Amino acid sequence: MKIRHIPYQAAIIITIGVYLYYLIYRVRYTINPESLILSLGFFYAEAHGFLALSLFFFQIWQPAERKAPPSNPGLSVDVYIPTYNEDISILRKTALGCVNMRYPHTTYILDDGNRPELAKEAAKWGCKYITRKERKDAKAGNLNNALRCTDGDYVAIFDADFVPQPNFLDKTIGYFRDPKVAFVQTPHNYYNIDSFQFRINKKKEQSWNEQDIFYRLMMPCKDYWNAAFFAGSAAVFRKQALEDIGGMVTGNITEDINTTILLYSRGWKGIYHNEVLSNGLAAKDLKNYHTQLLRWAEGNIGLLFVNNPLFVRGLTIPQRICFFSVIFGWLIGFPKFIYFILPPVMILSGGYPIGSFDFSFVWRYVMFLGVILFGFKFACRGYGKIRYDESYLMMNFFIFIKAALKNMLRQKSIFKVTGKGMQTSTTMLEIIPQTFLCLICFAGIAWGGLKLWYGISSDYLGIGVAIFWSFVNGFLAMSGIELVTRPYFKRKEFRFIGTIPVQFAVMSNVGSASSVGISRDLNENGISLITFIHLPIDTKILLSLYLNEKIVTCRATVLYTAHSGNPYRHLQGKMFIHGLKFEGLSREEMDVISMYCFNTILPRFLQRYGKKASVFIRIMFKFYNHERFRKHVRKKITIPVIIYRNGKPLFPVVSNDVSASGLSFTTYTPMELGAILNMEIFTPFGKFFAEGEIKQVREIVAENSYFIGVKFSHLYDRAEDIRVRSVEKDDQASLNRWLKTFPKGKS
């Protein structure tokens, strides 16, 4: 046991202890015989919560910490992409990502849709094509058919929308040095952050996805108990292990976890490599998301009746607990519905679930609730976001109940493919449960207020608490409805958020103008470009996109233009945002842009918006690095910079931050510490030239992204220099004055 895990484990023990004390107090002193149904229902929800939290805490007791071993050379690897009806443009990205993985392999398209046009495209992509006459056993049957048709010793599996990184196999194949390892699973990550499942805070550079806690915390901790499981995609299998159990398990719509349980029962091992090495598409709308969620819930709850891990021979006790926890977690719909509806029912009916709703109960409840909330958040090591988690449960509790009831009634589950096309609008039918809860909560609030106002009841404490929880639940329902019904961009292809330097030239009847701008977002069809000159709508321009060592040159048309808004109102008329559509790109050039987005922009975004250290650690880091005492404060300003050496331009970059004493930028290649750079720096007020020394070089994304910190050694006075500098003689003072026009910490 490592010392750094002890605080989290202590928090787990204290939280469970307080919860158990509270339940004992509840059952001994607070059951209300006058409202027995409400009282027992509420106690069931709390008891269910205790068991669920205990199982959850058991799973996250301690994460396994793995470092990818060196890859084994010379292994025979097949890569499978199972598909049924996914758009060929989506498949193309996955196929290109698979083909471009560095470790030698053969890529197969497994088409259950039997599409001749896909067979032709697969050959162009460098993939082999496999199909079958019937779709028996859906995805599991498709994979089993491919296992019989191919002869590789190892099999990597990617869903049709999952694009792997070039080093995927290099990072995973080395684990198979252990002859007992059956599979290596990696995290699922989703790149279309405009999906309603995401929350993005650009100011704090934080992101949240409802599956992060599972893939980045729970799965590594399950790995500690040797209970990590195959998640359907982004995994590598030893073919011998699959042959040992007769292939992927069929007869259940969640073939992944069933296959894992059978492998473990035969003595095989699973590995979880906790590093994002591929990226897929999240469901774009509520309908497709609920289709996916219902399939997962039905399949996992179905394990209670078929292949129940509590009774499967060969599993260890921790494995039984971990797999049962997965099943039990999908049964949360019933207690959550009770929590959501009980406060307004309590007000409207006048019945109390608590026998003695007095101060003695209230202080214990407040203590219990505070400890549970803090304990959960702390034990989750930064991945648990209580507000977002509750909002997620509000939108999905009805699906969990539906899945449980279908299993109890033994209705047959049908495998439905999650739609990956254009987003569709949410209908009122899809949000009936949340609308009902919203209405009943606010009806309870209104009636409770009237009862107190007109003296119908004098129970200010009881009704006040019920009104408070009704408001909380009503707010969750309203915010969920607003989230899934808000207007959305009808762009088919997601734009990747990231900055690249872009040189552009505008041709006109009176001559040409050229300059350098930076992207705000990008895909193979277009770009959002920030410039310091105005480009009118319908203007035709020539672009040079700097994509690491490759430069893509193309023409583009300006579709819209806008002044920069808040927080840069002072830059109106000097800084502009343009929407550009590419024209005349070849398919190969579009693929270059697409792969750059997946392999460079996306990993940099994940690094920037990933889990942050605690506030305490960040404060200590600042003091340790003397940031608190810096004379010049770094500001997160993204502007284009051209790097020169020996008087010749090397390449353009985009700054991460700038101060009067230096700047930093990210590049695809490491640079020599102590090297002297000459830089041409573009600003909304003009450009200036500087000489600087590289003081810091740090790898931030393996193999393709390096942070470079530069300290200015000289700022040159030239006619082209920034205009505001001309009012002062001191170079650094002038630059600092310009930097003060930017809000602190904004980018």
Side-chain angles (χ1 to χ4, degrees), residues 93-133:
K93 295 181 176 66
T94 302
L96 289 173
C98 290
V99 168
N100 289 325
M101 287 190 293
R102 289 193 290 263
Y103 193 92
H105 63 283
T106 304
T107 302
Y108 293 87
I109 303 290
L110 315 181
D111 184 20
D112 253 3
N114 197 9
R115 292 168 283 178
E117 66 276 17
L118 179 55
K120 293 179 182 179
E121 290 296 317
K124 295 178 184 178
W125 302 336
C127 303
K128 295 186 177 181
Y129 180 83
I130 297 175
T131 190
R132 55 183 182 150
K133 293 182 179 180

Side-chain angles (χ1 to χ4, degrees), residues 615-631:
V615 174
F616 175 76
I617 295 296
R618 292 201 297 271
I619 292 174
M620 294 300 295
F621 180 81
K622 284 188 176 184
F623 272 91
Y624 178 78
N625 287 277
H626 308 293
E627 291 183 16
R628 183 179 177 87
F629 308 105
R630 280 180 176 171
K631 180 179 178 181

Side-chain angles (χ1 to χ4, degrees), residues 623-679:
F623 272 91
Y624 178 78
N625 287 277
H626 308 293
E627 291 183 16
R628 183 179 177 87
F629 308 105
R630 280 180 176 171
K631 180 179 178 181
H632 302 291
V633 178
R634 288 278 178 93
K635 297 193 177 184
K636 294 179 180 178
I637 301 171
T638 51
I639 52 177
V641 179
I642 297 180
I643 306 297
Y644 289 81
R645 183 168 291 177
N646 299 325
K648 295 182 179 180
L650 290 179
F651 48 78
V653 296
V654 178
S655 68
N656 297 319
D657 52 48
V658 184
S659 77
S661 60
L663 58 77
S664 71
F665 57 86
T666 301
T667 181
Y668 66 94
T669 182
M671 304 184 78
E672 184 180 353
L673 199 65
I676 302 300
L677 300 179
N678 290 303
M679 296 167 286

Side-chain angles (χ1 to χ4, degrees), residues 354-368:
I354 305 299
S356 52
F357 207 98
D358 52 17
F359 182 76
S360 177
F361 167 76
V362 169
W363 79 259
R364 286 179 171 85
Y365 183 75
V366 171
M367 175 200 68
F368 152 77

